[in-house]
């Protein structure tokens, strides 16, 4: 029931999927720039041809969503567009920007180096992300090229530079080769292209993207054409200092002809935290620090060469220092680490219990005294410009129950520093793990704290320096503290001993009994609740059972009193004997008679008053003297001043999606009404957006999700725009305790079978001609209007004309005398099922459409029932009764918006949906008028679709749009079309 959201990513071609693929292309011989493309793939995932450039505004049309990593990479692609670079380096007062090709060869060396540095730094970071996340990247792909043929590979290990120096009487011979620690090869033997002049260098070696720590790209370029460079002796110091000294420590070095000094002094073993960019894991690394050199565990090198270069003007020659390792001493140091619980991985790395940054920090902090005593030096990691303190944290939380909230307190201890829990709120809310300490180091908030306290931090309210948590969010206190109040809410249905009394004139099914207990549990705790059962499962009956149960209780029965309404003198003498329930039920006008009938049938003992119509009572004392007051949303808005004078024990909303628009007056009015206990009933709590959910919760349990701006920031935008799974899971965990939803398939397997079919109709010849003419005439108009939010409604109006033509041209032209393929097919199906004795519900979006069929039945003198938005309340009840009770009335014509909810029409066993609606949930509701509890026969639902029209495409896009609410309510959203989807509709 609360399954994870799912979405299918596919291209416009249903047989072809798409993928975002990055690309490197040569802008000049020595300058490569990045790009991003949308690439088709076959069913096996093989990369095929480019579809178009990948941009935030283009990927949505292909059903793709950008991950945060892809968003960053595409942003870098935009930053490194030639035009972007030219704009960045444009002189302030210059009329035009200098072309990038000229910037890269500029006579001003400073300008040239600044441009190159900017490109290389950005590209190096971009390549690091690409390799870390193993994202596909091509080399200079073109539209006619298959992307798979130019796909780059990523070697598992970095390349190792090998430097060789041979000092002769005439100069120094310098060679650079690449390879592994033990093997090497000449650069000129391979197709090596330097991509960045950064350390580490990024190189293309054939079609392999290689990383080379210890050197930069410029060091490689001379060796692409020659194997050896000659360094004159008089340039020895300058060359070594500028080009070699920084790289020699991390390279394999061979030196001949130099003065050599040897040492084997292991001064310390440094423990540091590093990130493995290939898989994104954080690991520990031991570094054996000798005087003048450093070694890693598992390295095959047993010695390292370094240079001592005298300063300019000082006597002496360049001296080679040879540092030799002590393997026995290194082994002892490693044994110490293994005894403390580390494991060796890939010879170089040490793994604690967990491979996140926090795991490594926690291990070093916990073992710090033992490590220092054993001769280790601990290096505090530098992460994102923050020096992370190696300290053990402690957090103690206390929770105290107050009237309507919990008082939350906490104290954090990090080393010698202490501060209150509320100081962490901003960090916990934004998942920022770096908390600044007074000494300017940063405490790394443990990841387990985010898992345990982030939701709590997002929900507490700061009031006068203390933290308050609404009691409705009690589930956030689980596992938070050992000092918990004893009276935490507990809705355990096993502890609710409820059996229906004789005053309930109905037998509850097992799932309905469960639902009543669930409502009782929430009533006992003072919580509001939303019963979100599938249509037709008896939400009305379950609610009536709750009301009867509450009235039967001994505590608080005499609800009529001064707290209920001022000056209730009329009922003073009857307070005890009446035991008034005082429940206000607000519902659509179309459901008033249904509730009135259900209350009379199932709960005849209740005093029920229908507060509608021109002659309704305006005296609050009279309303307070009832068990149940039924009124409509429209009337509640008009009579707010009267209704708010009554201290309602219950306020119940039926079809509560009516308040989904929190900006609407009816939503505001309903939320302003005060009641001790609030219940909402809806088969579709989410129709348009997750904003609907906020309105529901704000009614049943105010302030649970914060103000709407807070809800929008924390949940709505992250979930709907950024597809944040964590925000979605957090939202659902907050609201799930207050929503109960069961589907027909889950709880009513005894319901008769439901068969749903799609009937495709071919348009008549004249109808097709008019449709194609109209589509050609309005296509560009619709797209132009759709681009402007102010005229988007006009675009949908034009779109509606195409929908009407697909049904019958007579809907747009009263003088039309030709045929309609769908109209003929519907009549044929109707005559077939009518002769077999079945009853049919006809649903259409357009009343004019129903009028065409009504005219046929009237001409044939066949009786029918009729229900639209203009049907008066008494007439609605009469029409329903005629259809249900009169066997000669086999057809019921209903507009989708007027009769999609609240009607029990089990006399029908066929449902004809004459045209598709934007929101498929509305169609499901229409079908549920017949397929519900009480139905004894199998139900068949026929959806009539005009082939090769907008109807067929609406139907296809509906399936792609069923996503919001799937993880909580199995509800569907109202369709909100993008321009790309609008183009598909008009294609």
């Amino acid at each position: 029931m609360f399954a994870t959201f799912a979405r299918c990513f596919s291209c416009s071609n249903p047989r072809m999927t798409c993928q975002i693929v990055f690309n490197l292309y040569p802008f000049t011989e020595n300058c490569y720039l990045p790009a991003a493309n949308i690439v088709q793939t076959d069913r096996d995932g093989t990369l095929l041809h480019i579809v178009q450039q990948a941009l935030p505004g283009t990927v949505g049309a292909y059903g793709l969503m950008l991950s945060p990593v892809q968003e960053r990479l595409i942003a870098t692609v935009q930053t490194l567009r030639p035009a972007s670079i030219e704009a960045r380096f444009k002189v302030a007062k210059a009329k035009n920007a200098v072309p990038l090709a000229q910037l890269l060869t500029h006579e001003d060396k400073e300008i040239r180096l600044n441009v190159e540095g900017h490109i290389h730094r950005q590209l190096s970071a971009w390549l690091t992300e690409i390799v870390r996340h193993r994202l596909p990247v091509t080399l200079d792909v073109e539209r006619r090229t298959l992307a798979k043929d130019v796909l780059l590979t990523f070697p598992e290990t970095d390349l190792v530079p090998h430097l060789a120096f041979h000092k002769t009487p005439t100069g120094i011979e310098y060679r650079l080769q690449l390879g592994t620690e033990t093997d090497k090869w000449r650069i000129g033997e391979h197709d090596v292209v330097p991509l960045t002049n950064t350390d580490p260098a990024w190189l293309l070696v054939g079609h392999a993207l290689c990383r080379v720590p210890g050197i930069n790209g410029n060091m490689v370029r001379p060796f692409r054409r020659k194997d050896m460079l000659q360094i004159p002796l008089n340039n020895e110091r300058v060359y070594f200092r500028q080009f070699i000294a920084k790289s020699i420590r991390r390279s394999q070095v061979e030196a001949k002809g130099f003065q050599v000094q040897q040492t084997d002094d292991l001064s310390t073993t440094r423990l540091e935290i590093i990130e493995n960019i290939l898989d994104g894991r954080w690991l520990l690394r031991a570094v054996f620090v000798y005087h003048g050199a450093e070694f890693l565990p598992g390295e095959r090198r047993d010695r390292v060469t370094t240079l001592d270069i005298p300063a300019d003007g000082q006597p002496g020659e360049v001296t080679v220092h040879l540092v030799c390792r002590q393997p026995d001493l290194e082994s002892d140091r490693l044994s110490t680490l293994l005894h403390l619980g580390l494991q060796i991985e890939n010879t170089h790395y040490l793994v604690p219990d967990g491979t996140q940054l926090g795991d490594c920090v926690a291990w070093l902090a916990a073992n710090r005294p033992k490590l220092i005593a054993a001769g280790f030096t601990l290096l505090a990691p530098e992460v994102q410009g923050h020096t992370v303190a190696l300290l053990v944290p402690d957090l103690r939380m206390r929770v105290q129950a107050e009237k309507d909230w919990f008082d939350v307190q906490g104290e954090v201890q990090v080393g010698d520093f202490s501060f209150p829990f509320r100081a962490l709120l901003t960090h916990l809310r934004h998942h920022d793990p770096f908390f600044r300490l007074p000494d300017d180091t940063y405490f790394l908030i443990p990841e387990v704290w985010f898992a345990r306290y982030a939701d709590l931090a997002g929900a507490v309210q700061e009031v006068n320096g203390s933290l308050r948590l609404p009691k409705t969010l009690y589930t956030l206190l689980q596992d938070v503290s050992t000092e918990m109040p004893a009276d935490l809410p507990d809705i355990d249905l096993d502890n609710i001993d409820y059996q229906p009394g004789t005053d309930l004139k109905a037998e509850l099914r097992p799932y309905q009994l469960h639902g009543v207990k669930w409502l009782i549990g929430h009533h006992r705790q003072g919580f509001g609740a939303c019963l979100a059962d599938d249509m037709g499962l008896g939400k009305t009956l379950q609610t009536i059972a709750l009301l009867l149960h509450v009235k039967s209780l001994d505590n608080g029965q005499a609800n009529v009193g001064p707290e209920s309404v001022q000056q209730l003198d009329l009922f003073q003498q009857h307070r005890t004997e009446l035991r008034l329930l005082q429940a206000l039920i607000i519902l659509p006008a179309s459901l008033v008679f249904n509730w009135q009938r259900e209350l009379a049938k199932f709960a005849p003992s209740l005093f029920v008053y229908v507060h509608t119509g021109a002659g309704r009572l305006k005296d609050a004392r009279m309303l307070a003297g009832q068990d149940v007051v039924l009124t409509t949303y429209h009337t509640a808005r008009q009579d707010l001043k009267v209704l708010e004078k009554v201290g309602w024990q219950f306020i119940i909303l039926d079809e509560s999606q009516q308040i989904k628009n929190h900006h609407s007056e009816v939503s505001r009015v309903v939320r302003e009404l005060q009641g001790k206990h609030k219940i909402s009933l809806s088969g579709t709590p989410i129709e348009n957006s997750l904003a609907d959910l906020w309105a529901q919760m704000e009614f049943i349990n105010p302030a649970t999700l914060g103000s709407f701006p807070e809800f929008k920031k924390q949940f709505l935008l992250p979930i709907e725009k950024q597809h944040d799974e964590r925000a979605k899971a957090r939202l659902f965990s907050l609201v799930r305790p207050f929503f109960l939803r069961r589907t027909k398939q889950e709880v009513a397997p005894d319901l008769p079978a439901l068969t749903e079919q799609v009937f495709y109709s071919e348009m008549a010849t004249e109808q097709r001609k008019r449709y194609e003419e109209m589509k050609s005439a309005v296509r560009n108009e619709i797209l132009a209007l759709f681009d402007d939010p102010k005229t988007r409604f006009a675009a949908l109006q034009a779109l509606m004309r195409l929908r009407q033509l697909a049904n019958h041209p007579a809907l747009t032209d009263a003088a039309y005398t030709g045929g309609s393929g769908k109209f003929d097919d519907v009549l044929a199906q109707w005559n077939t099922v009518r002769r077999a004795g079945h009853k049919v519900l006809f649903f259409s979006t357009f009343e004019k459409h129903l009028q065409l069929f009504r005219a046929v039945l009237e001409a044939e003198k066949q009786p029918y029932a009729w229900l639209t938005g203009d049907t008066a309340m008494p007439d609605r009840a009469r029409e329903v009764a005629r259809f249900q009770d009169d066997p000669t009335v086999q057809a019921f014509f209903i507009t989708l918006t007027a009769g999609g909810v609240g009607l029990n029409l089990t006399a029908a066993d066929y449902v004809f949906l004459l045209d598709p609606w934007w929101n498929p949930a509305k169609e499901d509701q229409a079908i549920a008028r017949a397929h519900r509890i009480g139905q004894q026969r199998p139900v068949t639902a026929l959806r009539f679709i005009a082939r090769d029209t907008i109807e067929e495409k609406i139907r296809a896009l509906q399936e792609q749009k069923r996503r919001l609410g799937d993880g909580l309510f199995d509800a569907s959203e109202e369709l909100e079309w993008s321009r790309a989807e609008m183009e598909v509709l008009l294609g």
Side-chain angles (χ1 to χ4, degrees):
M1 179 169 59
F2 300 104
T4 305
F5 281 77
R7 186 175 182 186
C8 177
F9 305 131
S10 63
C11 293
S12 300
N13 184 340
R15 292 175 298 177
M16 193 75 70
T17 56
C18 295
Q19 185 177 349
I20 294 174
V21 178
F22 295 94
N23 183 56
L24 280 170
Y25 69 95
F27 180 77
T28 65
E29 181 182 357
N30 295 323
C31 177
Y32 277 70
L33 297 178
N37 298 306
I38 298 170
V39 176
Q40 293 179 347
T41 64
D42 64 14
R43 292 179 178 178
D44 297 327
T46 303
L47 298 176
L48 303 177
H49 294 283
I50 295 175
V51 177
Q52 73 174 90
Q53 186 180 6
L55 298 170
T58 63
V59 296
Y62 297 90
L64 298 169
M65 289 189 303
L66 293 177
S67 69
V69 173
Q70 290 172 322
E71 288 180 349
R72 293 197 300 270
L73 293 173
I74 290 179
T76 301
V77 167
Q78 295 304 302
T79 299
L80 291 182
R81 289 172 56 244
S84 300
I85 300 171
E86 292 162 5
R88 177 185 177 89
F89 290 95
K90 179 178 177 292
V91 179
K93 296 183 179 180
K95 184 176 181 180
N96 298 313
V98 178
L100 178 57
Q102 294 182 24
L103 288 173
L104 292 171
T105 57
H106 205 283
E107 60 184 14
D108 188 327
K109 182 179 179 181
E110 183 177 355
I111 292 176
R112 186 174 69 250
L113 292 178
N114 284 340
V115 173
E116 290 177 351
H118 169 70
I119 294 174
H120 291 166
R121 286 191 299 273
Q122 295 280 337
L123 186 59
S124 178
W126 189 83
L127 292 170
T128 300
E129 288 275 275
I130 288 283
V131 173
R132 174 186 291 136
H133 298 283
R134 286 296 198 256
L135 299 176
V137 59
T138 54
L139 178 62
D140 199 20
V141 69
E142 297 178 349
R143 287 190 178 273
R144 62 178 180 272
T145 307
L146 286 174
K148 70 179 183 64
D149 294 336
V150 289
L151 198 62
L152 295 179
T153 61
F154 307 138
E156 290 297 324
T157 58
D158 295 335
L159 289 178
V160 177
H162 292 255
L163 280 63
F165 304 97
H166 183 196
K167 190 172 185 179
T168 68
T170 59
I172 299 174
E173 296 176 354
Y174 163 43
R175 291 176 174 81
L176 170 62
Q177 296 178 312
L178 300 174
T180 64
E181 289 183 353
T182 56
D183 299 313
K184 56 188 176 181
W185 41 265
R186 292 168 42 236
I187 293 173
E189 294 176 344
H190 296 76
D191 183 14
V192 178
V193 178
L195 296 175
T196 66
N197 186 30
T198 56
D199 182 1
W202 286 96
L203 308 177
L204 279 177
V205 182
H207 272 73
L209 184 58
C210 301
R211 181 176 179 269
V212 193
I215 65 172
N216 59 59
N218 282 349
M219 294 177 63
V220 174
R221 296 187 189 280
F223 295 97
R224 297 173 66 193
R225 296 179 176 84
K226 58 179 69 175
D227 293 336
M228 183 265 290
L229 297 180
Q230 186 75 28
I231 305 172
L233 290 178
N234 58 349
N235 287 339
E236 176 186 27
R237 294 186 182 184
V238 174
Y239 195 92
F240 276 128
R241 187 178 297 117
Q242 291 184 356
F243 301 106
I244 305 301
K246 293 181 180 179
S247 303
I248 196 170
R249 291 177 180 270
R250 288 182 288 173
S251 305
Q252 295 281 44
V253 179
E254 178 184 338
K256 296 180 180 179
F258 291 87
Q259 181 182 350
V260 178
Q261 296 181 355
Q262 184 171 327
T263 181
D264 62 355
D265 178 23
L266 176 59
S267 57
T268 188
T269 302
R270 185 175 71 243
L271 274 179
E272 59 189 19
I273 300 173
I274 63 166
E275 183 182 17
N276 185 341
I277 68 166
L278 297 179
D279 57 19
R281 297 189 304 158
W282 291 87
L283 306 167
L284 292 171
R285 182 170 67 183
V287 181
F288 301 116
V289 182
Y290 290 78
H291 180 69
E294 297 180 352
F295 298 91
L296 297 177
E299 276 191 282
R300 295 185 180 181
R301 295 182 303 164
D302 60 356
R303 61 194 64 201
V304 160
T305 305
T306 62
L307 299 177
D308 183 6
I309 307 172
D312 293 339
Q314 296 293 322
E317 298 181 350
V318 173
T319 303
V320 175
H321 288 274
L322 184 62
V323 181
C324 299
R325 302 176 67 175
Q326 295 193 52
D328 293 339
L329 186 53
E330 291 180 8
S331 180
D332 290 341
R333 296 285 172 89
L334 279 181
S335 296
T336 299
L337 297 178
L338 296 179
H339 287 145
L340 290 175
L342 294 183
Q343 295 180 352
I344 296 178
E345 180 179 291
N346 294 334
T347 68
H348 293 326
Y349 304 120
L350 297 154
V351 185
D353 185 13
T355 57
Q356 299 299 314
L357 175 61
D359 300 322
C360 297
V361 170
W363 189 89
L364 285 178
N367 292 282
R368 183 175 184 173
K370 296 178 181 178
L371 292 169
I372 293 176
F376 289 87
T377 300
L378 309 189
L379 183 63
E382 291 283 341
V383 183
Q384 301 176 18
H386 302 121
T387 301
V388 178
L390 301 177
L391 299 173
V392 178
D394 181 55
L395 172 58
R396 297 184 180 275
M397 298 289 293
R398 299 180 303 280
V399 179
Q400 182 176 344
E402 301 294 342
K403 181 180 179 182
D404 295 322
W405 70 87
F406 296 101
D407 184 64
V408 180
Q409 303 175 29
E411 189 73 18
V412 183
Q413 187 75 36
V414 181
D416 295 331
F417 306 111
S418 63
F419 46 89
F421 171 73
R422 65 175 181 271
L424 295 180
L425 291 183
T426 300
H427 292 265
L428 292 171
R429 289 167 179 167
H430 295 91
H431 208 81
D432 177 6
F434 299 104
F435 182 86
R436 189 171 184 175
L437 296 172
D439 63 355
D440 289 333
T441 62
Y442 286 80
F443 156 54
L444 188 71
I445 300 173
E447 195 63 30
V448 67
W449 287 18
F450 287 102
R452 184 175 298 171
Y453 303 113
D455 291 348
L456 177 65
V460 292
Q461 304 163 2
E462 297 185 64
V463 180
N464 298 326
S466 63
L467 302 180
R468 291 182 177 181
L469 180 74
K471 279 200 172 178
T472 51
L473 299 180
Y474 68 96
T475 57
L476 297 181
L477 296 176
Q478 296 172 351
D479 302 324
V480 163
S481 169
T482 55
E483 299 181 34
M484 297 291 289
D487 55 347
L488 270 181
D490 179 21
I491 302 177
D492 186 352
L493 300 192
D494 292 336
N495 295 330
I496 298 175
D497 184 16
Y498 165 76
Q499 291 297 327
T502 57
D503 50 355
L504 179 65
K505 307 304 181 183
E507 182 177 347
L508 296 177
R509 294 167 180 261
Y511 75 89
Q512 292 173 329
L513 182 64
H514 176 93
V516 176
K517 287 186 175 182
W518 184 83
L519 290 170
I520 291 172
H522 283 72
H523 176 263
R524 288 181 179 177
Q525 296 294 339
F527 293 155
C530 176
L531 188 56
D533 281 346
D534 215 347
M535 291 81 71
L537 294 185
K539 294 188 289 291
T540 302
L541 176 57
Q542 293 173 70
T543 307
I544 292 172
L546 169 70
L547 295 179
L548 287 172
H549 170 74
V550 173
K551 188 173 181 182
S552 70
L553 298 176
D554 291 332
N555 53 349
Q557 285 303 302
N559 292 329
V560 181
E563 73 282 1
S564 298
V565 65
Q566 298 177 356
Q567 300 178 351
L568 195 57
D569 297 334
L570 182 63
F571 294 98
Q572 286 285 347
Q573 60 183 346
H574 304 298
R575 286 179 183 171
T576 303
E577 59 185 277
L578 285 177
R579 297 181 178 276
L580 300 176
L581 188 59
Q582 291 183 308
L584 175 66
I585 303 179
I586 307 175
L587 58 161
S590 61
L591 303 188
V592 171
F593 78 91
N594 185 66
W595 267 90
Q596 191 176 12
R597 184 179 59 191
E598 301 276 272
L599 283 163
K601 178 181 178 181
F602 299 132
S605 62
L606 295 180
F607 293 95
V608 179
Y609 170 64
V610 178
H611 185 67
T612 61
R616 64 186 181 273
L617 299 174
K618 295 299 182 72
D619 190 333
R621 294 175 300 174
M622 299 295 290
L623 298 180
Q626 305 292 332
D627 284 316
V628 177
V629 174
L630 299 175
T631 193
T632 67
Y633 287 98
H634 176 72
T635 304
R637 184 181 61 184
Q638 290 183 322
D639 291 0
L640 174 62
K641 291 184 178 180
V642 176
L643 297 176
E644 66 184 0
K645 292 179 181 179
V646 181
W648 302 104
Q649 301 302 307
F650 281 91
I651 299 180
I652 299 169
L653 304 185
D654 196 6
E655 298 300 337
S656 59
Q657 66 270 17
Q658 299 275 343
I659 67 167
K660 63 187 179 184
N661 181 359
H662 68 282
H663 291 299
S664 69
E665 185 178 359
V666 68
S667 183
R668 177 188 59 79
V669 165
V670 166
R671 297 200 309 270
E672 284 182 4
L673 288 173
Q674 298 300 309
K676 288 187 177 180
H677 189 64
K678 295 181 179 180
I679 297 174
S680 63
L681 309 174
S682 176
T684 54
I686 298 177
E687 276 197 334
N688 296 342
S689 160
L690 287 177
D692 302 352
L693 182 58
W694 181 86
Q696 297 273 350
M697 281 297 295
E698 188 65 10
F699 167 70
I700 60 176
N701 292 309
T704 300
L705 297 180
S707 67
F708 186 77
E710 293 171 336
F711 173 78
K712 184 176 181 180
K713 180 179 179 181
Q714 292 188 43
F715 299 111
L716 188 62
L717 293 179
I719 295 172
E720 293 192 356
K721 302 300 182 183
Q722 302 164 16
H723 309 286
D724 187 332
E725 292 296 319
R726 183 180 178 277
K728 181 178 62 181
R730 179 176 160 230
L731 172 62
F732 285 2
S733 70
L734 293 178
V735 303
R736 189 176 290 120
F738 310 106
F739 286 79
L740 178 63
R741 174 164 176 78
R742 283 81 59 85
T743 66
K744 293 175 184 176
Q745 291 78 10
E746 289 178 81
V747 301
D750 52 334
L751 268 178
L754 170 64
T755 302
E756 297 187 56
Q757 299 177 4
V758 179
F759 192 101
Y760 290 97
S761 298
E762 298 290 345
M763 286 189 288
T765 303
E766 179 61 23
Q767 179 186 17
R768 181 176 297 280
K769 178 182 178 183
R770 292 198 178 199
Y771 180 88
E772 294 299 333
E773 288 175 350
M774 175 69 77
K775 187 176 75 170
S776 299
V778 302
R779 183 183 190 279
N780 293 334
E781 173 192 355
I782 290 175
L783 293 176
L785 291 171
F786 188 81
D787 286 335
D788 187 348
K790 296 179 181 179
T791 58
R792 191 161 295 170
F793 179 75
L796 294 176
Q797 290 292 100
L799 206 63
M800 184 180 69
R801 297 199 295 272
L802 285 176
R803 296 176 58 215
Q804 290 174 324
L805 277 173
N807 285 321
H808 200 303
L811 299 183
T812 61
D813 180 7
Y816 178 78
T817 58
S820 161
K822 180 191 287 189
F823 185 75
D824 294 341
D825 289 339
V826 172
L827 285 178
Q829 290 289 326
W830 154 246
N831 284 320
T832 298
V833 299
R834 176 181 62 85
R835 293 189 186 101
H838 299 285
K839 289 196 173 193
V840 181
L841 304 180
F842 291 78
F843 282 99
S844 177
T845 310
F846 307 105
E847 183 176 344
K848 283 185 177 181
H849 197 192
L850 296 176
Q851 290 170 356
L852 296 178
F853 293 98
R854 179 177 68 177
V856 173
L857 267 66
E858 288 177 343
E860 297 177 353
K861 301 188 182 307
Q862 297 178 18
Y864 61 86
W866 180 265
L867 178 59
T868 70
D870 296 329
T871 305
M873 288 298 299
D875 294 336
R876 294 174 66 95
R878 186 183 67 248
E879 292 296 284
V880 170
R882 285 182 62 239
F883 183 76
Q884 286 288 95
D885 302 333
D886 189 343
T888 67
V889 181
Q890 293 180 260
F892 200 156
F893 297 105
I894 310 172
T895 55
L896 194 61
T897 53
V901 294
L903 297 177
N904 188 338
L905 300 173
T906 52
D909 56 347
Y910 273 80
V911 181
F912 286 5
L913 298 165
L914 303 184
D915 39 68
W917 181 237
W918 303 113
N919 183 355
K922 297 291 188 184
E923 299 176 9
D924 296 339
Q925 290 173 340
I927 296 171
R929 299 313 97 215
H931 191 247
R932 59 194 298 114
I933 299 300
Q935 178 61 263
Q936 302 299 319
R937 293 166 296 174
V939 175
T940 300
L942 285 178
R943 289 181 167 88
F944 291 89
I945 303 293
R947 191 180 295 279
D948 299 326
T949 70
I950 187 175
E951 290 189 339
E952 193 171 12
K953 294 173 181 178
I954 289 174
R955 179 70 182 158
L957 285 174
Q958 279 177 348
E959 298 307 314
Q960 298 179 22
K961 286 288 190 173
R962 291 178 181 265
R963 66 180 185 273
L964 277 180
D966 284 354
L968 184 59
F969 306 116
D970 293 330
S972 298
E973 62 168 331
E974 194 82 26
L975 300 188
E976 297 177 357
W977 305 111
S978 66
R979 178 186 171 89
E981 290 165 334
M982 187 65 66
E983 290 177 346
V984 171
L985 286 174
L986 297 170

